[in-house]
Amino acid sequence: MTPFFQSIACGRPATSEFADPSYTSNARGHAALGISQHMILTLAFRNLFHDRIRLAVTLVGILFSIVLVAVQLGLYLGSSRMITGMIERSTGDLWITAYGAKSFEEGGILLTPRERHQALVTPGVKSVIPLVVSFAEWRKPAGGSTRVVVVGSDAEDGGLVPWGLVEGTWEDIKAPEAISADQTYLKDLGIEGMGSTAQIATGRVRVRALTRGIRSFTQSPFVFTPLQRARNLLNVEGEKSTFYLVQLEPGASVEEVKSQLVRKLEGAEVLTKQEFSDRSLTAWLFRTGAGIALIGGALLGTLVGTVIVAQTLYSSTKDHLNEFATLRALGSSAGYIHKVILAQAGLSAVVGYALGMSIALLVLWLSRNSPLPLVMTPGLALSLFALTVFMCAISALSAIVKVTKIDPAVVFSR
Amino acid sequence: MSSKQPVLVAENVVKELGKGAGKVMALKGVSLSLVPGELTLLMGPSGSGKTTLLSILGCILTPTSGEIRIGGTATAGLEPEALAELRRKYIGFIFQSYNLFPTLNALENVRIALDVLGQKGYPAAARAEEVLREVGLGHRLQNYPSNLSGGEQQRVAVARAIAASPAVVLADEPTAALDSENGHAVMALLGRIAKEQNRCVLAVTHDPRTLGYADRVIHIEDGKIVREERRPEGINSPEITDLTKKRRKANV
């Protein structure tokens, strides 16, 4: 027998060569270890965690982006709530304002009792509550001054009263010289708290009630006092008012009453709660540029996050290109490989979001007593998650484009 | 000559690589067929077109002209996704550098090949374990490639290639990175896969140690098949004798 055939005939006995001493017919026992394993997720997870430094860079990118967007949008929401807080807390269905009133704090020219009477005789109107609101100078007891927004309103009318009272009552505010102030601004107002005195314009005032959580977007604290005292402090003549809050009879149509009032009140504007809120938001957030800065910051955060994630996903894909080429050679569809990359992006999104939100919530908690607290709502949290997933999916595009061009023939040239 | 129906047929395959002045004709009209139950070796010097031919037979490259039929399906004009489907259905690959996924353990490396085919869950896990036991790695299921020897890695690659029971197994220099013992072991395994599982196995090699396991040896030079030897019914084939003498001489 020639050596060639000897090697075939006597060649290494394949069966005994690979006889597995641990083999039993019950191969299923070990296989059970991986039953629930999802291979796309497994590969994506391992690719992602294989290079810890790159993973850290990816997560920092997402985290930075989430925190920045959360803070910017949290500030936006917080600002929005501060701007519309007074309007939302009011019990009126319609607001009568001077023509061209910009916002709650800037009501403009005063309305006369004539408008009030005209409104009162309109069908469907139950009551018309006068409010006086204006910026005023607050003179600190130890010297110096700051600006406040005086809100004059009578509690009996039920139109707009201070909320979150932590010390004192509305009855206490009825006392001579009495006002309510918010705890957050005591330092800004230069006072200690209950019983402190100061001066608004030319009139002396004394703090008889303290509130918590009535914050002002303008950083000029709100000060509540009865209607007539507000008129006195602000030198408002007679029974003039800044706004009239219109409460409707049960069943009355807001739109119908509004159109009747618009016809009657030529020098004034009639706005629904929503319209007045929107106008105030526009005035403070967009005319001043504050909102644009906040939204711009959020967009910038998204952009930076997207670029960082895209860069790291691309480089990860590039590093694993041979593995993807092997998958392609094994017959995988392009879609299968895209799913691996998208799963990598998705995993990055979930981990990055969890970390980012943890930090964002910490910042939120730290800001709770500041004059400009951040706000996080379930809707914003969900939107941020959707944004993170979207950002990571967009980031995956460059990697997908790269892998789409893959030539499986490279598996033979390694 | 085998009377079995060929699974993979190549007819007059031509492949040009490069463009313009750098254009090279890598294959110049190659024809061959692979039948089940045979281990065929494709031998030739470097640059002779072995790997190009393997890539074309494996539907990874498309020929410039000529025809490839796998399981009766002509590959001409098929889109990349359709070619990938043919690979999924008919072909298992074994690579010179194993091409295992470094982040997956042995079991997962086999499972992913099944996953690509849509085989998931318990049956896939059981099948992956079964083939790893067949290649003698039942005790290394959870080991990562970095913890396996070259021979063990190549056996995982073999298990991956045969897990889905493909009709054709194409191996690119399967013993090139292995020592003598592991090289023999892997070739014996490929021979067994061809015989016992009735598959077409084609191995590109220039390793003379592999000759003893072949049923058929195809020699390719300069893009053309120059000689084909088949394991004869008797032992007095002059071609084989010549081949053996050459081999002995080379070894000396």
Side-chain angles (χ1 to χ4, degrees), chain B residues 9-173:
Chain B
V9 177
E11 280 179 6
N12 203 25
V13 170
V14 171
K15 180 66 182 176
E16 289 174 356
L17 298 173
K19 285 176 185 173
K23 194 191 285 185
V24 175
M25 196 172 264
L27 295 175
K28 299 168 181 170
V30 171
S31 298
L32 63 82
S33 60
L34 300 178
V35 294
E38 275 190 0
L39 169 58
T40 305
L41 297 184
L42 183 61
M43 302 188 83
S46 292
S48 57
K50 302 187 297 289
T51 301
T52 304
L53 179 58
L54 191 79
S55 304
I56 288 173
L57 295 176
C59 300
I60 284 177
L61 285 180
T62 49
T64 307
S65 65
E67 190 176 288
I68 303 288
R69 286 194 306 277
I70 301 175
T73 306
T75 63
L78 292 181
E79 293 295 318
E81 286 304 312
L83 291 172
E85 193 183 338
L86 271 182
R87 287 199 293 276
R88 278 200 294 277
K89 278 171 78 173
Y90 291 104
I91 298 167
F93 278 106
I94 299 163
F95 307 102
Q96 180 178 346
S97 307
Y98 328 128
N99 290 33
L100 298 179
F101 294 83
T103 56
L104 301 181
N105 64 32
L107 189 69
E108 290 163 345
N109 260 289
V110 179
R111 278 196 64 186
I112 198 155
L114 294 168
D115 199 64
V116 159
L117 299 165
Q119 296 178 24
K120 298 175 193 297
Y122 179 79
R127 173 63 184 156
E129 184 173 340
E130 187 185 345
V131 287
L132 280 166
R133 288 190 184 284
E134 275 179 28
V135 300
L137 291 176
H139 59 302
R140 306 287 256 163
L141 300 177
Q142 304 299 328
N143 284 74
Y144 286 84
S146 57
N147 296 326
L148 297 172
S149 68
E152 286 174 327
Q153 288 187 53
Q154 193 58 298
R155 280 192 268 158
V156 174
V158 171
R160 182 175 68 183
I162 63 170
S165 304
V168 180
V169 175
L170 300 177
D172 182 35
E173 303 278 8

Side-chain angles (χ1 to χ4, degrees), chain A residues 1-5 7-9 11-15 17-24 26-40 42-43 46-47 50 320 322-324 326-336 407-414, chain B residues 51 54-55 60-61 80-81 84 87-88 93 95 97 99 101-105 108 111-113 115-116 120-122 125-126 129 133-139 141-142 144 155 160 172 181 184-186 188-189 192 196 211-214 231-232 234-235 240 244 247-248:
Chain A
M1 190 176 282
T2 65
F4 179 63
F5 269 107
S7 63
I8 291 177
R12 293 165 183 267
T15 313
E17 179 74 24
F18 292 118
D20 183 351
S22 69
Y23 183 75
T24 64
N26 186 16
R28 289 156 191 271
H30 286 286
L33 291 170
I35 289 172
S36 59
Q37 203 173 359
H38 193 293
M39 291 312 298
I40 287 178
T42 302
L43 186 60
R46 302 273 175 81
N47 279 355
H50 183 60
H320 293 99
N322 279 322
E323 291 157 40
F324 291 127
T326 302
L327 271 180
R328 202 76 174 111
L330 293 177
S332 88
S333 62
Y336 187 93
D407 179 2
V410 300
V411 291
F412 293 116
S413 56
R414 283 178 70 185
Chain B
T51 301
L54 191 79
S55 304
I60 284 177
L61 285 180
E81 286 304 312
R87 287 199 293 276
R88 278 200 294 277
F93 278 106
F95 307 102
S97 307
N99 290 33
F101 294 83
T103 56
L104 301 181
N105 64 32
E108 290 163 345
R111 278 196 64 186
I112 198 155
D115 199 64
V116 159
K120 298 175 193 297
Y122 179 79
E129 184 173 340
R133 288 190 184 284
E134 275 179 28
V135 300
L137 291 176
H139 59 302
L141 300 177
Q142 304 299 328
Y144 286 84
R155 280 192 268 158
R160 182 175 68 183
D172 182 35
E181 189 183 353
H184 280 295
V186 166
L189 178 61
R192 191 156 61 90
E196 294 176 6
L211 284 169
Y213 300 93
R231 177 185 171 183
I235 58 168
I240 296 299
T244 311
R247 194 180 136 214
R248 274 184 182 160

Side-chain angles (χ1 to χ4, degrees), chain A residues 180-192:
Chain A
S180 78
D182 196 85
Q183 280 180 331
T184 315
Y185 300 100
L186 291 181
K187 204 175 162 190
D188 296 332
L189 295 172
I191 54 176
E192 297 292 322

